[in-house]
Amino acid sequence: MSARHFLSLMDCTPEELISIIRRGIELKDLRQRSVLFEPLKNRVLGMIFEKSSTRTRLSFEAGMIQLGGQAIFLSPRDTQLGRGESIGDCAIVMSRMLDAVMIRTYAHQTLTEFAANSRVPVINGLSDDLHPCQLLADMQTFLEHRGAIQGKTVAWIGDGNNMCHSYIEAAIQFDFQLRIACPEGFEPDSRFLAMAPDRVSVVRDPREAVRGAHLVSTDVWTSMGQEEETARRLKLFKPYQVNRELLDLAADDALFMHCLPAHRGEEISHDILDDPRAVAWDQAENRLHAQKALLEFLVAPGYRPE
Ligand code: CP
Ligand code: NVA
């Protein structure tokens, strides 16, 4: 199949990623000026959600409508996917009717299997391994607030999870240093660490990771699908809360990001999202703009209004 997919940040070149993010900023400006731009007229995005979502569903659905197209929400509960039809067969059928498919799933292999059988672009809306769309929004947010992230230092605090893996890929693609602070046993997968030994380091002490960093980012301690581990995780991750005291160790112009949803009192203190260094609401909004740029790139590259 010849379609271009976005399952990981590594599916694009660094130049393509930068141009998608810059385009996201342009599309944001068009929307703020109420300029109609509909390159995806009559195009349809299918969205398969095996896990819950607020931001991802809304940003893709609103984004498609704003670009002149439509989005269809599909849950395994009410499709044959939940009754044993194979992923490959679903991909063949769905991709004959749709112009792109977004999937939020557990096993990353679901995405690769679907993509291998799809005629149209497949987008990773989060898997147990990666969350590349969130990184587009995060990188757009950093660019808007502080300029290029190249050569900067980023601290990832907490779980070595799907978001952390995408930060590792971002360190490679956007050329920054990443310091990860996590409890023993919760390191990122060695497959991802092995991709960037020169750009990524893992430490135990969150203060060591944050000291002098230009961006500090964290995420929930219990990801979707890990709910039965919650009690154990709450105990082990306690020293990894991002609060003002920890953030004060970062660079003077540091930003704080959280992909949301946040659990105040757990991975962040109650006050940190109100701190002037926090840009989580901009990050959330930028999901819309960055993904519109991604959809345009994948579905209607080179579109010029008449
Ligand atoms: N950050 C993010 O992906 O949020 P949702 O789970 O609400 O989609
Ligand atoms: N790591 C979190 C991210 C949610 C957007 C999860 O997978 O649940």
Side-chain angles (χ1 to χ4, degrees):
M1 304 281 160
S2 59
R4 188 84 197 260
H5 305 298
F6 186 71
L7 308 188
S8 141
L9 290 180
M10 307 315 280
D11 288 335
C12 288
T13 65
E15 294 72 30
E16 286 171 337
L17 290 172
I18 294 279
S19 83
I20 291 168
I21 286 162
R22 289 197 186 285
R23 184 68 179 145
I25 294 173
E26 283 173 13
L27 294 177
K28 185 175 186 171
D29 177 60
L30 288 185
R31 179 165 159 74
Q32 278 164 356
R33 291 191 287 115
S34 303
V35 177
L36 212 60
F37 178 64
E38 299 188 321
L40 300 191
K41 217 169 172 59
N42 296 321
R43 304 296 188 103
V44 182
L45 172 74
M47 307 188 296
I48 301 170
F49 280 94
E50 290 184 355
K51 293 174 173 172
S52 306
S53 167
T54 299
R55 280 144 287 266
T56 304
R57 178 176 177 181
L58 263 179
S59 52
F60 272 110
E61 199 162 327
M64 279 304 291
I65 294 168
Q66 290 165 17
L67 291 170
Q70 288 281 332
I72 299 175
F73 175 84
L74 298 157
S75 133
R77 268 188 307 281
D78 354 277
T79 58
Q80 300 291 2
L81 259 176
R83 294 188 63 256
E85 186 168 12
S86 82
I87 293 161
D89 290 356
C90 286
I92 293 169
V93 173
M94 288 184 186
S95 73
R96 284 177 180 225
M97 301 185 193
L98 300 167
D99 297 286
V101 181
M102 188 243 72
I103 307 178
R104 169 167 283 198
T105 187
Y106 292 88
H108 192 77
Q109 204 192 336
T110 302
L111 278 157
T112 52
E113 254 180 74
F114 197 103
N117 291 282
S118 174
R119 287 180 175 185
V120 300
V122 178
I123 298 169
N124 180 359
L126 182 146
S127 68
D128 286 347
D129 283 7
L130 292 166
H131 196 5
C133 289
Q134 183 67 51
L135 263 291
L136 292 181
D138 290 15
M139 294 297 103
Q140 178 178 330
T141 307
F142 192 91
L143 184 64
E144 286 172 340
H145 283 270
R146 296 285 184 268
I149 199 164
Q150 185 175 30
K152 304 279 188 198
T153 298
V154 177
W156 175 265
I157 309 301
D159 194 13
N161 61 12
N162 44 8
M163 275 296 300
C164 179
H165 294 158
S166 280
Y167 262 96
I168 293 174
E169 293 193 342
I172 299 166
Q173 299 290 62
F174 293 90
D175 192 19
F176 58 78
Q177 290 297 318
L178 178 65
R179 296 191 207 130
I180 299 164
C182 57
E184 201 177 339
F186 295 89
E187 295 84 3
D189 194 307
S190 54
R191 282 177 298 138
F192 293 98
L193 284 176
M195 287 164 68
D198 52 333
R199 284 199 179 79
V200 181
S201 56
V202 178
V203 297
R204 290 282 163 253
D205 185 349
R207 288 166 303 186
E208 195 182 332
V210 167
R211 205 161 281 132
H214 304 98
L215 168 62
V216 178
S217 190
T218 191
D219 185 12
V220 290
W221 291 338
T222 303
S223 286
M224 289 179 278
Q226 301 173 330
E227 287 75 9
E228 73 287 357
E229 296 174 27
T230 304
R232 183 167 158 256
R233 284 172 172 266
L234 275 174
K235 222 160 52 203
L236 287 168
F237 281 87
K238 217 175 164 68
Y240 292 84
Q241 184 187 80
V242 179
N243 48 40
R244 285 197 163 131
E245 197 186 340
L246 183 66
L247 203 52
D248 285 346
L249 298 174
D252 289 342
D253 62 347
L255 293 178
F256 171 66
M257 293 194 188
H258 191 311
C259 64
L260 305 175
H263 290 190
R264 290 176 174 85
E266 295 180 17
E267 78 276 3
I268 53 166
S269 57
H270 285 276
D271 56 359
I272 206 77
L273 292 180
D274 304 318
D275 189 281
R277 294 166 287 189
V279 289
W281 312 126
D282 291 342
Q283 264 179 285
E285 180 187 335
N286 283 338
R287 293 292 303 276
L288 173 69
H289 310 299
Q291 287 161 200
K292 282 167 73 177
L294 175 68
L295 288 164
E296 185 189 24
F297 171 78
L298 292 174
V299 181
Y303 170 88
R304 291 280 170 275
E306 286 149 24

